[in-house]
Amino acid sequence: MFWTGELIARTAPVRRRPAGDPPLSPLLEHATAAYLGLAIGDALGATVEFMTPSEIRQQSGAHRDIVGGGWLRLKAGQVTDDTTMSLALGDAILAHGRVDAKATADAFDAWMRAKPVDIGNTIRRNLITYRKTGNPEAPPSEHDAGNGAAMRVLPVALATYGQAEDAVRAANAAQAHTTHHNALSDAACEVLILMVQDFLAGRDAIAVERQRIAPFIERFPVFAYDRKRRDNPSGFVAETLQAVFQAFFATDNFENCLIDVVNRGGDADTTGAIAGMLAGARYGLAAIPRRWRNDLDGRIHQRCRDQAQALIGMCKAGA
Ligand SMILES: [Mg+2]
């Protein structure tokens, strides 16, 4: 059950508007912050991807600035596949007015042909299969439980905001199964989408953890994150979400959440992107450090803003 835009306006907490941003509705402001958070977390985390926490400490004390570099030798502010696949998916959703499997697979195929800076193995393999078969749904595989579908769910969360959960799940399956046809990947995608939508509706983190995450972990215990600190999270979607949830629920602002998660190393661009998406949706634009917004690639910054606005314009509550 989702709240309507009207309910949000009456019940959401007061939100400050950062200097320099045009006035936005609370819904659009938090949707925009989720998109910028995704890109900022990606750009911040990519520098330390595949490093261990102790290697990060030796190199920079704590990693807290968008400086580029890393194994991909990025320019400062440059993003990776997490952000660019999300933008490709969002463009396909906007062009077709819904999440269409074939349009999504075509968009990802075009993205791959444009030689992205990085690409996951599962994504590459299943897109190559799509070129041969023309079937946008990858074959089911228990091995395809990587985080590559979960990292790009944001456009689905925005476009389906206000829809029933079954419709949200179907929309996600259409995008996710182009590359990851796997029950754990699906579960992760769905819980992330529903969490983003919870925060857009103004729910607080305690309620989300109790009402959204607890039943999810009861159903899928592999995602439990209360046992041991998850450092060096791999690309396995359960490890990714464990690191994200630990950082997200242990901190109370955008900046500390992202610094916590990327300094765990491992698949840090993707943990950064997912944590940044959730933290943006939770805290809003005013909470994103100005230095990070300034340091993000300007073209990506604008694309994220524009797409957040267009996708929210599509959803029932934003129309
Ligand atoms: Mg990446």
Side-chain angles (χ1 to χ4, degrees), residues 4-192:
T4 66
E6 214 175 48
L7 274 172
I8 293 158
R10 275 192 276 121
T11 56
V14 175
R15 289 148 166 180
R16 285 179 300 123
R17 177 165 65 88
D21 284 315
L24 304 173
S25 71
L27 173 59
L28 181 51
E29 197 230 294
H30 282 245
T32 303
Y35 227 132
L36 291 176
L38 172 81
I40 285 169
D42 182 6
L44 181 72
T47 304
V48 293
E49 187 185 9
F50 299 135
M51 291 173 70
T52 65
S54 66
E55 285 168 347
I56 297 169
R57 274 194 300 276
Q58 279 165 17
Q59 181 175 290
S60 53
H63 176 57
R64 43 189 310 127
D65 291 306
I66 294 176
V67 294
W71 75 282
L72 293 170
R73 300 173 189 271
L74 300 174
K75 298 190 198 92
Q78 193 177 352
V79 294
T80 75
D81 53 351
D82 310 69
T83 306
T84 55
M85 282 199 100
S86 298
L87 289 166
L89 171 59
D91 284 344
I93 295 172
L94 289 165
H96 288 77
R98 66 193 174 89
V99 188
D100 177 82
K102 177 94 172 46
T104 301
D106 285 338
F108 291 159
D109 189 27
W111 168 85
M112 184 164 73
R113 284 182 199 281
K115 302 208 183 317
V117 64
D118 63 340
I119 179 167
N121 292 332
T122 306
I123 289 173
R124 184 198 305 274
R125 169 169 40 83
N126 281 319
L127 289 178
I128 287 172
T129 302
Y130 169 64
R131 284 182 190 169
K132 292 178 190 149
T133 64
N135 181 357
E137 189 174 71
S141 169
E142 62 176 309
H143 302 296
D144 289 353
N147 57 24
M151 73 187 187
R152 58 178 194 235
V153 294
L154 181 58
V156 179
L158 302 184
T160 64
Y161 178 71
Q163 293 185 16
E165 278 193 29
D166 282 352
V168 171
R169 286 177 208 283
N172 178 64
Q175 77 83 14
H177 292 180
T178 59
T179 58
H180 292 69
H181 196 165
N182 176 279
L184 290 180
S185 168
D186 284 351
C189 289
E190 288 165 12
V191 83
L192 290 172

